Amino acid sequence: MQLLGIWVAAFLTLCIYSFLYKDNPLYRFAEHLFVGISVGYGIVLSIHQGFLPLAWKPFWEAITFQDTSGFWVIIPIAFGLLFFARLSPRHTWLIRYPIAILIGYGSGIAIPNVLRANIFEQTRGTLEPFGKIARETVAANGNIIPPLTPFEIVGAILMVIGVVCTLTYFFFSVEHRGPIKGLSKVGIAFLMIGFGSAFGNTVMGRVALLIQRMDFLMFDWIASIGTIFSSIF
Amino acid sequence: MKRQIPLALCFLFGVVMIFTQFSPHPVSKSIYERVISGALIIGPFALVLATITLIQTHINRIQRRTEHWGYSFVVFAGLITMVAIGVPFGPENPVFVWLYTNVQVPMDATMFSLLAFFIASAAYRAFRARSTEATLLLVTALIVMLGNVPVGDLIWNTILSWTGFENQASAARGWILDNPNLSARRGIILGVSLGVISQSIRIILGIERSYLGGGD
């Protein structure tokens, strides 16, 4: 079974790499199989990790009077079923109900969390190093953190300049002229460094995956050919 | 009825989710957890609808004999196989795990690794240092790429050993990622977050209604 798995994986890997030559039936076969398998996998996970434990189990326990507190799941199940109104042209407007609930829920949950995690925490992270310039601080694990070195102070100042200038670049309520234009130009420089870093990391991530696939083909797959030959002869 | 009730539901759920997060009262916590469970129950129905739409699209392709229509059967084969094994027997079933490990994971990794080739040609176009900004992008990406692999430090230690510093390629990468890169990211995160908050308020208050779609 393991050997078959290696050969199936190698065949599909080569099918996808055949696209490097040109679009061809082998690539299209692998591409469509990938879509089908991925969607199937998503459905199975959402049923077994979402619907069954959260909806079906409490619902079943409620209707069999094992635990009547689960009756409330009928409400979200009913709203969820309204998604299928999309399939009937006359009743398609009913899909707005579950969508509105999910959008309202998402918006409501986003406001406090985004405020806390993205605004307060990021601002704190930007300004916090200035509290460590001249004195020792104690970390959460009790370790003593020494004051910042001159090099780290430069980094902290650069951080504030970068954040302010990047925000200025995205601030469209005033015309970018004079000092604002200067700040926004510095912001562009920081953004380019950020995009360059992201690009470099992405390239290296993709190359690491390529190396991993080549490693699989060269060592696992080719080694399995030797295993087959040695078992035959 | 067709628009007012969805708007009211959106407002109600939005306001409830905001206020219950700020209140430590047990009733508030219970409501908060119930709403989260409710949303997690509603979500999978959307996935089922999306799957039905995918199936309809491929049935249409087969019926109309559009270009490459035969591959739609391959989509169905993959989908039906995974669902037929995974739904009744669970995701821990050995055959389901085998399909995941030997079909989905290798194809996923290969698809993403394929981008390594296309990203190289994109880099050639993007990295031509025509302006100061493009040069900054080019230099930063090169330093980050070289600093990511051991050969970067090897090159530094071989060519620039006379400077008296060692392994500065990875150190430069670390400094770029932790300082100018992080400051740009923080600027973007702060801007995006303010946008998310303002858009969320607009949605909850019913000013932004595009999610309701057209019609009456």
Side-chain angles (χ1 to χ4, degrees):
Chain A
M1 203 64 175
Q2 195 190 353
L3 196 66
L4 180 67
I6 289 172
W7 275 78
V8 168
F11 170 70
L12 293 170
T13 301
L14 291 172
C15 282
I16 293 173
Y17 280 142
S18 68
F19 185 72
L20 291 171
Y21 172 61
K22 66 175 186 179
D23 192 15
N24 65 79
L26 284 174
Y27 173 75
R28 284 196 290 270
F29 167 78
E31 184 191 28
H32 285 78
L33 185 66
F34 182 52
V35 171
I37 291 270
S38 302
V39 172
Y41 182 75
I43 291 171
V44 171
L45 279 203
S46 75
I47 286 175
H48 277 273
Q49 292 176 1
F51 185 74
L52 289 181
L54 291 170
W56 181 250
K57 191 168 168 273
F59 177 68
W60 182 254
E61 285 173 356
I63 58 169
T64 54
F65 296 104
Q66 294 171 46
D67 180 9
T68 50
S69 66
F71 265 121
W72 74 274
V73 297
I74 293 171
I75 299 166
I77 289 174
F79 276 113
L81 287 171
L82 288 179
F83 268 115
F84 301 117
R86 179 80 179 81
L87 303 171
S88 159
R90 274 186 62 214
H91 304 101
T92 196
W93 59 274
L94 281 168
I95 199 176
R96 289 172 183 160
Y97 284 52
I99 288 177
I101 290 173
L102 288 181
I103 296 264
Y105 156 82
S107 303
I109 211 165
I111 292 173
N113 285 323
V114 167
L115 262 177
R116 188 167 44 233
N118 288 356
I119 294 188
F120 297 149
E121 284 300 311
Q122 295 298 331
T123 310
R124 189 175 69 87
T126 308
L127 299 176
E128 198 177 32
F130 290 97
K132 299 175 185 170
I133 286 179
R135 61 186 174 88
E136 288 179 340
T137 45
V138 183
N141 57 7
N143 290 348
I144 304 289
I145 303 168
L148 297 186
T149 62
F151 191 62
E152 287 170 332
I153 294 170
V154 171
I157 294 168
L158 203 62
M159 179 70 75
V160 174
I161 294 171
V163 171
V164 171
C165 293
T166 306
L167 281 173
T168 309
Y169 175 71
F170 289 112
F171 189 61
F172 301 116
S173 297
V174 291
E175 200 177 341
H176 286 202
R177 280 193 308 190
I180 300 290
K181 189 180 179 184
L183 285 174
S184 98
K185 280 213 163 219
V186 177
I188 293 174
F190 274 93
L191 281 170
M192 286 299 145
I193 294 173
F195 294 146
S197 308
F199 189 87
N201 276 330
T202 308
V203 169
M204 295 315 287
R206 300 288 185 264
V207 170
L209 276 173
L210 178 65
I211 291 168
Q212 185 249 329
R213 294 319 296 158
M214 288 298 140
D215 182 76
F216 167 76
L217 286 177
M218 287 173 70
F219 296 102
D220 295 5
W221 182 50
I222 290 179
S224 77
I225 298 173
T227 312
I228 292 169
F229 271 98
S230 61
S231 64
I232 294 171
F233 303 107
Chain B
M1 172 111 168
K2 288 183 178 177
R3 297 182 81 90
Q4 276 71 23
I5 293 178
L7 285 171
L9 282 171
C10 182
F11 176 79
L12 178 73
F13 277 84
V15 170
V16 164
M17 287 315 285
I18 293 170
F19 285 110
T20 51
Q21 285 188 74
F22 288 112
S23 166
H25 195 277
V27 174
S28 165
K29 280 193 161 185
S30 161
I31 292 171
Y32 177 73
E33 282 160 15
R34 278 275 161 92
V35 175
I36 287 183
S37 300
L40 287 173
I41 292 169
I42 296 174
F45 287 97
L47 184 70
V48 175
L49 179 68
T51 310
I52 292 170
T53 311
L54 178 81
I55 291 168
Q56 279 181 337
T57 307
H58 282 279
I59 287 173
N60 279 342
R61 274 182 64 177
I62 292 167
Q63 281 175 342
R64 291 176 189 173
R65 299 283 194 273
T66 55
E67 198 183 9
H68 308 315
W69 61 274
Y71 295 101
S72 294
F73 288 113
V74 180
V75 175
F76 289 143
L79 177 65
I80 292 166
T81 307
M82 290 301 267
V83 171
I85 297 166
V87 171
F89 303 112
E92 285 86 29
N93 178 269
V95 180
F96 187 81
V97 173
W98 188 90
L99 283 169
Y100 174 72
T101 313
N102 295 302
V103 179
Q104 196 186 343
V105 171
M107 282 202 286
D108 196 20
T110 312
M111 280 286 184
F112 277 101
S113 74
L114 202 61
L115 288 177
F117 295 97
F118 298 110
I119 221 165
S121 66
Y124 173 73
R125 268 168 274 161
F127 281 5
R128 276 179 293 181
R130 285 178 179 164
S131 61
T132 317
E133 288 85 11
T135 313
L136 265 175
L137 191 94
L138 166 71
V139 172
T140 311
L142 281 176
I143 293 170
V144 170
M145 282 192 270
L146 280 174
N148 252 324
V149 284
V151 76
D153 281 337
L154 183 73
I155 292 168
W156 177 281
N157 294 342
T158 309
I159 299 171
L160 296 163
S161 57
W162 54 269
T163 55
F165 296 103
E166 282 191 340
N167 301 331
Q168 288 303 298
S170 55
R173 169 191 165 271
W175 186 83
I176 286 172
L177 290 182
D178 292 344
N179 291 284
N181 165 61
L182 189 58
S183 64
R185 285 175 64 92
R186 276 194 175 142
I188 293 170
I189 289 170
L190 285 167
V192 168
S193 303
L194 291 170
V196 167
I197 290 169
S198 66
Q199 189 69 356
S200 297
I201 292 170
R202 282 170 58 86
I203 287 170
I204 290 170
L205 295 178
I207 301 166
E208 172 63 54
R209 301 174 178 196
S210 56
Y211 66 89
L212 294 175
D216 51 347

